[in-house]
Amino acid sequence: MTHPFIIPELLENIFSFLAKDKALYPTLFVNHLWYHYSAPILWRRIEFSVEGYRQNQCGKNTSGPLYWRLMKIKRVMCGKTKHLYCSKMVYLKLAGLKISDTLLSAILRLCPNIHTLILDRSYGFSNIPIIEIARCCPKLLHLSFDACKAITDRCISEIVRSCPKLEYIHFASICSLNVTGASVIEIAQFCPNLIYLNLSSHHHIKDISFCAIARSCVNLRHLDLSSNYYMTDDAVCDIVRSCANIQYLILHRTYITDKTIYDIAHYCSNLLVLDVGDCWRISKESIHFLLSKKPTLDIILDKQKTNIRYNIRYVK
């Protein structure tokens, strides 16, 4: 029985604090009032990830606790009786899992308030439920599809046109040709509020697409363009000159030259971290010049430039 002096608003504040370290779950079984206030909080953030679990040789999510948790969420989302608190979900992470079109579509339809969606390394679904994101999740702010093979140009086009509030986009590739420079141009055109953008390992995207980012996404603070081999100094310099707020710039394994380094020295007044590891076309002299202008800058280099000092970390 709940103490007569417990105020519902106080319970909600307590439960919000407990939700951070998963200590809230036992409160579900105290009584109806406690369940009423704790369940919606627990439903706000749902995470399923293979990290910390083992998969069998067939790649299925059969690790004891993870498997049963997935089965429970599937019964809730795909069953005839829908859970009262599904609409409370705002954060969903399904990382490294085999997910069906049916399950993913059901989640999206029942949870229209999602603002953070992470499907990194997940598989088993087609581009059909990904396209549904555009229709089902208009409040989306954070979107991550690291190494997700189901992503296509159409997926990105539909999402960015319907979710103009996006601030975080992670579309790192694994040499997939499903995403072209046209998608990058659409991101630039429809997502001017971007703060974080990861387009690493899209080897076939060329300068015209990156220049579109420079013209439109001027509020960028974190930009990862590593392993983009067709990108030239001209595109990176356009970005450096236009994105004055950039703090983290990742250019690992690209063909930039000293021209980019000198532009960074002159234009990136807020830069905190620069990764130019394995950029073999830049010289030690340009790095010395950059550090003379920005002595507190954290630079990540490859070990071939070990005689350079200051605030430098080296790529292993």
Side-chain angles (χ1 to χ4, degrees):
M1 184 174 181
T2 306
H3 194 282
F5 295 105
I6 291 182
I7 303 172
E9 289 77 9
L10 179 59
L11 274 181
E12 188 171 0
N13 288 335
I14 294 172
F15 292 157
S16 296
F17 175 77
L18 291 175
K20 296 178 182 179
D21 60 2
K22 309 301 181 183
L24 180 57
Y25 289 99
T27 65
L28 290 168
F29 304 100
V30 175
N31 59 30
H32 180 75
L33 178 64
W34 285 49
Y35 181 89
H36 176 73
Y37 282 97
S38 59
I41 295 172
L42 288 171
W43 270 92
R44 289 176 191 169
R45 186 182 181 100
I46 302 296
E47 296 186 57
F48 293 94
S49 175
V50 296
E51 297 173 1
Y53 295 97
R54 293 183 179 180
Q55 292 181 307
N56 70 355
Q57 293 181 352
C58 298
K60 295 182 179 180
N61 314 311
T62 55
S63 301
L66 178 62
Y67 174 76
W68 291 113
R69 288 177 63 200
L70 282 171
M71 288 301 99
K72 289 179 181 178
I73 198 74
K74 186 175 182 179
R75 283 198 297 269
V76 170
M77 294 297 177
C78 300
K80 294 181 180 180
T81 303
K82 307 307 179 186
H83 200 287
L84 178 64
Y85 300 116
C86 290
S87 62
K88 300 293 183 181
M89 189 190 301
V90 295
Y91 180 103
L92 176 63
K93 180 178 180 180
L94 301 171
L97 305 176
K98 186 176 182 180
I99 309 166
S100 67
D101 281 5
T102 301
L103 176 57
L104 188 54
S105 295
I107 292 174
L108 294 173
R109 287 195 299 268
L110 292 172
C111 308
N113 295 312
I114 291 177
H115 62 59
T116 298
L117 179 60
I118 302 171
L119 295 175
D120 296 345
R121 305 178 309 284
S122 288
Y123 59 101
F125 52 90
S126 68
N127 67 339
I128 295 174
I130 302 302
I131 293 172
E132 288 185 357
I133 293 172
R135 177 174 56 84
C136 300
C137 305
K139 299 180 182 179
L140 204 60
L141 298 175
H142 180 126
L143 184 62
S144 185
F145 288 130
D146 183 16
C148 186
K149 295 181 180 180
I151 304 304
T152 63
D153 275 344
R154 184 187 172 191
C155 293
I156 296 176
S157 177
E158 296 281 353
I159 292 171
V160 299
R161 287 171 182 266
S162 302
C163 306
K165 296 181 180 180
L166 275 168
E167 296 178 352
Y168 182 113
I169 296 179
H170 187 126
F171 284 137
S173 176
I174 47 173
C175 302
S176 171
L177 296 176
N178 294 332
V179 177
T180 69
S183 290
V184 179
I185 293 174
E186 294 237 3
I187 290 173
Q189 182 178 356
F190 293 101
C191 300
N193 299 317
L194 277 183
I195 296 175
Y196 179 106
L197 180 61
N198 187 323
L199 294 171
S200 60
S201 300
H202 289 281
H203 308 312
H204 49 286
I205 297 178
K206 299 183 179 180
D207 275 5
I208 186 172
S209 301
F210 297 117
C211 289
I213 294 293
R215 290 191 299 270
S216 301
C217 303
V218 296
N219 296 318
L220 277 172
R221 296 178 188 172
H222 188 294
L223 180 62
D224 188 339
L225 299 176
S226 56
S227 299
N228 284 301
Y229 303 132
Y230 282 101
M231 181 179 65
T232 69
D233 280 321
D234 292 338
V236 182
C237 288
D238 274 356
I239 292 171
V240 165
R241 294 169 185 174
S242 302
C243 303
N245 296 319
I246 201 159
Q247 297 177 343
Y248 300 88
L249 184 57
I250 317 300
L251 301 172
H252 186 80
R253 289 184 181 174
T254 58
Y255 293 147
I256 62 168
T257 69
D258 289 348
K259 177 182 178 181
T260 292
I261 301 301
Y262 288 125
D263 264 24
I264 290 172
H266 286 108
Y267 292 100
C268 294
S269 57
N270 295 307
L271 194 62
L272 301 176
V273 176
L274 173 66
D275 184 346
V276 286
D278 289 336
C279 295
W280 59 274
R281 300 176 77 180
I282 61 174
S283 68
K284 299 172 184 177
E285 290 74 21
S286 67
I287 297 297
H288 277 299
F289 177 80
L290 175 59
L291 286 169
S292 70
K293 295 292 185 180
K294 302 179 185 302
T296 61
L297 180 62
D298 186 5
I299 302 180
I300 302 173
L301 292 172
D302 57 274
K303 288 190 175 182
Q304 293 179 353
K305 300 180 176 66
T306 53
N307 63 336
I308 301 176
R309 294 297 181 260
Y310 303 97
N311 301 317
I312 295 180
R313 290 183 280 139
Y314 295 103
V315 176
K316 294 181 179 181

